Amino acid sequence: MATVRIPETPPLTEIFQAEVVKRNLDRFQRGMDVIFDRDPPVVGATAKDVVYSKGTLRLYRYRPVTDEVYRIPLVLVMSLISKPYILDLSPGQSLVEYLLREGFDVFMVDWGVPRPEDSRLTLEYYVLEALPRNVEEVQKVTGEQEVSLLGYCMGGLFALMYSGIFQDAPVANMVCAATPVDFEGMGMFRRWSDRRWFDVDRIVDTLGNIPPDLIFRSFEMLRPAERWAAYARLFDNLWTISG
Amino acid sequence: MPENNDRPDVGQLWRSWLTDTERQWNAFFNDVMGTDSFGRFLGGYMDIYSTFQRLVAQNMERSLSTLNVPSRSDVLELSERLSSLEERLSSIESSINTLAEAVGHPSRPAAVTQLRPRRTRQPRSQPAGAK
């Protein structure tokens, strides 16, 4: 007969050891920092210049950190939904920083936070007008004809549409990250937004820009338990986060 | 704290339990919310929500108009006009820059124009002379 092994719990003396007490004090202190938003993390800190702007749109050029860069500039095309600093989180944890160190000349198309009047902007504007204009600016600044595109999330869709529509688009390379290309795979979203019961035109006509909270909740509903588990994991890891 | 390999790590057990529980709850909710009936319910909710929003907006517009106070749509209209002015200014600025560059007086911010790194870098795996 197999014996059931009951996990031993550490004796009380160990629980109250100085290291454990210190860890929990650190956890408490960092928890308070998070709750009261003290010492917020620095995001998007890599040095950059605005090359072109229009409305909320900004085209940034990150300052190269090497004397010699690859010939073809790299343009990061961001999403309309997520924040642009997701690719430049914090010093030491930044894709932009890594690319600069590796010798790329990095640009970023940041669409900004849409304003109420931007609700009239269409896909045509982003793909046929704005993105080509940004590519032109990159060409002007670098003197190079070709560009490499790295599209993130919805930015990947823009980059794909742009390259597909303009046969002479000067795109040497393209990378899409977190870009939904085959929507067959988005089962839940497809079911929720089925035309039989979801009138997207009516919602857009009424709300204008879709409120961020609505988008956030929709994504959250794909994995409803994730948020609470994330809080638990944050609590677990709080003491390891450097202050 | 001294390491004892015979004793299971309580923290690790808790983390595994958390991951399993999260996965199970997500699977359960996905089963419930992945149905047509839930989609229909969600569509109905959005329908009611947008109708309510529209009614509130219409009534607010009427009330503000009666009180002779600018409404949201008036502010948006102003904002649109400002945006179009901004665009015009930006296009004039761009034309001036192009002209200035043509006559040898670039007016772009120095930080952007002075960045002229050599564009000759090659991938590490390739020999230096390869194209």
Side-chain angles (χ1 to χ4, degrees):
Chain A
M1 190 176 149
T3 52
V4 178
R5 194 160 164 276
I6 300 166
E8 284 178 41
T9 49
L12 278 177
T13 47
E14 279 186 24
I15 291 173
F16 289 105
Q17 272 183 354
E19 194 184 326
V20 178
V21 172
K22 184 180 177 303
R23 182 184 298 179
N24 281 305
L25 280 175
D26 280 353
R27 185 174 278 148
F28 177 75
Q29 187 196 336
R30 305 260 155 73
M32 289 297 108
D33 288 348
V34 170
I35 289 168
F36 293 110
D37 199 21
R38 288 194 295 237
D39 195 16
V42 177
V43 289
T46 308
K48 57 186 182 287
D49 299 289
V50 177
V51 174
Y52 168 70
S53 65
K54 181 183 176 186
T56 59
L57 161 69
R58 299 283 179 278
L59 172 66
Y60 294 111
R61 183 193 199 180
Y62 288 92
R63 295 190 180 178
V65 296
T66 52
D67 294 333
E68 190 184 27
V69 295
Y70 290 110
R71 182 178 64 80
I72 301 174
L74 175 64
V75 183
L76 310 177
V77 185
M78 299 311 294
S79 166
L80 282 175
I81 298 168
S82 44
K83 297 285 186 190
Y85 57 69
I86 198 163
L87 298 186
D88 182 26
L89 265 185
S90 58
Q93 291 182 324
S94 158
L95 176 70
V96 170
E97 196 182 78
Y98 170 79
L99 292 168
L100 291 172
R101 241 186 1 250
E102 288 296 306
F104 287 93
D105 193 3
V106 184
F107 290 78
M108 179 186 276
V109 180
D110 170 13
W111 304 107
V113 179
R115 297 183 291 208
E117 66 268 25
D118 292 337
S119 63
R120 291 180 195 169
L121 298 181
T122 57
L123 264 182
E124 285 86 344
Y125 163 76
Y126 289 104
V127 177
L128 304 179
E129 199 181 313
L131 193 50
R133 181 65 206 272
N134 279 283
V135 171
E136 272 174 34
E137 291 293 330
V138 173
Q139 288 173 321
K140 259 193 242 172
V141 169
T142 60
E144 290 295 330
Q145 276 308 300
E146 291 180 306
V147 297
S148 295
L149 296 180
L150 192 161
Y152 177 75
C153 190
M154 196 178 181
L157 281 179
F158 290 160
L160 281 169
M161 286 187 235
Y162 165 69
S163 307
I165 291 169
F166 295 97
Q167 296 298 311
D168 55 349
V171 179
N173 309 286
M174 188 182 330
V175 178
C176 291
T179 297
V181 178
D182 179 9
F183 284 83
E184 287 292 328
M186 300 184 78
M188 299 271 274
F189 275 149
R190 276 174 61 86
R191 189 148 293 174
W192 297 341
S193 57
D194 193 305
R195 281 180 187 279
R196 283 177 290 172
W197 44 71
F198 189 84
D199 189 349
V200 68
D201 293 326
R202 183 179 169 146
I203 291 169
V204 171
D205 289 344
T206 308
L207 303 178
N209 290 328
I210 301 299
D213 202 45
L214 187 61
I215 297 172
F216 179 74
R217 300 285 167 217
S218 309
F219 276 98
E220 198 179 52
M221 278 165 71
L222 296 177
R223 286 186 289 271
E226 188 181 60
R227 189 208 273 220
W228 301 108
Y231 283 140
R233 286 197 188 95
L234 175 66
F235 178 74
D236 186 26
N237 292 322
L238 267 174
W239 67 279
T240 61
I241 300 169
S242 58
Chain B
M1 195 188 298
E3 286 292 322
N4 186 348
N5 291 334
D6 295 337
R7 183 184 299 150
D9 181 352
V10 177
Q12 196 53 48
L13 283 174
W14 178 77
R15 282 177 210 111
S16 306
W17 172 84
L18 182 68
T19 306
D20 291 342
T21 310
E22 182 193 358
R23 197 177 297 132
Q24 284 162 9
W25 276 109
N26 280 339
F28 167 73
F29 281 118
N30 284 353
D31 284 345
V32 173
M33 295 192 295
T35 56
D36 278 359
S37 51
F38 186 81
R40 195 170 289 116
F41 160 76
L42 210 60
Y45 171 77
M46 287 307 298
D47 218 24
I48 292 167
Y49 175 70
S50 55
T51 306
F52 176 72
Q53 282 286 330
R54 182 170 290 183
L55 281 174
V56 169
Q58 282 170 351
N59 283 325
M60 188 61 78
E61 183 94 21
R62 237 176 268 135
S63 310
L64 290 172
S65 170
T66 311
L67 295 169
N68 204 20
V69 173
S71 66
R72 185 172 188 269
S73 56
D74 295 325
V75 176
L76 283 184
E77 211 170 288
L78 262 178
S79 178
E80 271 176 36
R81 291 174 71 176
L82 266 177
S83 295
S84 96
L85 275 174
E86 267 177 14
E87 276 169 34
R88 295 286 294 274
L89 275 175
S90 165
S91 112
I92 292 168
E93 190 184 26
S94 172
S95 306
I96 291 172
N97 283 339
T98 313
L99 277 173
E101 274 168 20
V103 295
H105 294 284
S107 54
R108 272 185 188 278
V112 179
T113 51
Q114 284 173 1
L115 299 176
R116 295 271 179 227
R118 281 178 288 125
R119 315 191 73 84
T120 49
R121 195 181 179 98
Q122 295 291 329
R124 280 182 204 135
S125 54
Q126 283 187 9
K131 285 190 178 176

